[in-house]
Amino acid sequence: MNPLLASHYREILVGVGENPEREGLLDTPQRAAKAMQYLCNGYSMSLEDITNGALFESQSDEMVIVSDIELYSLCEHHMLPFIGKAHVAYIPTGRVLGLSKVARVVDMFARRLQIQENLTRQIAEAIQQITDASGVAVVIEARHMCMMMRGVEKQNSIMTSSVMLGAFRDSSTTRQEFLQLIGRRS
């Protein structure tokens, strides 16, 4: 736990009118600091470490999809959570990535202060970099607490973002197949 971060959380408590010496809040600065470090642990991860060489020879050149990957991130504008799911697809060119590694790539980038649009692109580019696939597609659907808890307070809004690279960008048929398989229409 970072003591400097904990001291800042203590000041936040004072700033919002709370008494950090109150029984229920005595350990809150340390807990909040520890939680923030965990929620932002993507900064200490690298693609090489999380994929750990889990690329396997394969003759498959058909679309690989990992869908409904839960994600939890913090928006960089208000530091409030956005929660949703990612759908990731790629078309292999001689090598496939271990299944759990796709989810780990999503987590690595989600565990950073983000906007959803950038998160979507970072995941797509990382999968492309790791696999050298002929195409990569990523769709993220998320609910943003900064829109639900404050501001316009819209409870049922879902933001959808997508990035299509290579064959998914160049071929409307490939893109359409992906969107149909994850249950979306373009």
Side-chain angles (χ1 to χ4, degrees):
M1 190 273 308
N2 181 328
L4 181 59
L5 192 54
S7 72
H8 290 301
Y9 274 109
R10 186 180 193 291
E11 293 305 313
I12 290 170
L13 290 173
V14 171
V16 298
E18 260 297 353
N19 174 6
E21 300 303 319
R22 181 167 64 80
E23 180 183 2
L25 296 177
L26 282 175
D27 295 328
T28 296
Q30 292 81 9
R31 286 191 300 264
K34 189 174 180 181
M36 184 58 76
Q37 285 179 299
Y38 177 78
L39 295 173
C40 293
N41 69 10
Y43 291 115
S44 63
M45 298 178 186
S46 72
L47 274 178
E48 296 75 26
D49 289 341
I50 64 168
T51 56
N52 196 25
L55 279 170
F56 306 102
E57 296 289 324
S58 174
Q59 298 307 307
S60 175
D61 61 358
E62 297 294 327
M63 190 182 306
V64 174
I65 302 173
V66 184
S67 60
D68 297 319
I69 303 167
E70 304 94 16
L71 68 85
Y72 308 90
S73 194
L74 295 174
C75 89
E76 64 186 38
H77 298 141
H78 302 100
M79 294 177 63
L80 290 172
F82 63 94
I83 300 163
K85 56 188 171 180
H87 312 284
V88 179
Y90 67 98
I91 301 173
T93 56
R95 299 184 306 171
V96 293
L97 184 61
L99 176 61
S100 70
K101 304 308 181 184
V102 176
R104 290 183 192 280
V105 169
V106 170
D107 285 345
M108 181 182 84
F109 289 110
R111 297 287 185 189
R112 300 176 181 185
L113 299 177
Q114 278 293 4
I115 61 172
Q116 183 175 328
E117 299 89 336
N118 291 348
L119 174 60
T120 310
R121 176 151 304 278
Q122 289 167 347
I123 294 166
E125 290 175 350
I127 297 294
Q128 176 65 50
Q129 176 187 332
I130 296 163
T131 64
D132 196 30
S134 64
V136 175
V138 176
V139 170
I140 294 178
E141 303 165 293
R143 294 182 183 274
H144 291 251
M145 296 302 126
C146 56
M147 191 168 165
M148 295 170 72
M149 296 175 65
R150 54 160 302 284
V152 297
E153 296 184 27
K154 298 301 176 202
Q155 305 307 305
N156 298 307
S157 299
I158 297 174
M159 179 179 173
T160 303
S161 55
S162 69
V163 170
M164 307 287 167
L165 303 176
F168 290 96
R169 185 175 194 81
D170 299 338
S171 168
S172 62
T173 304
T174 303
R175 183 172 48 256
Q176 198 61 23
E177 178 184 352
F178 165 66
L179 294 171
Q180 286 176 345
L181 287 169
I182 65 167
R184 309 295 173 269
R185 305 293 182 256
S186 62

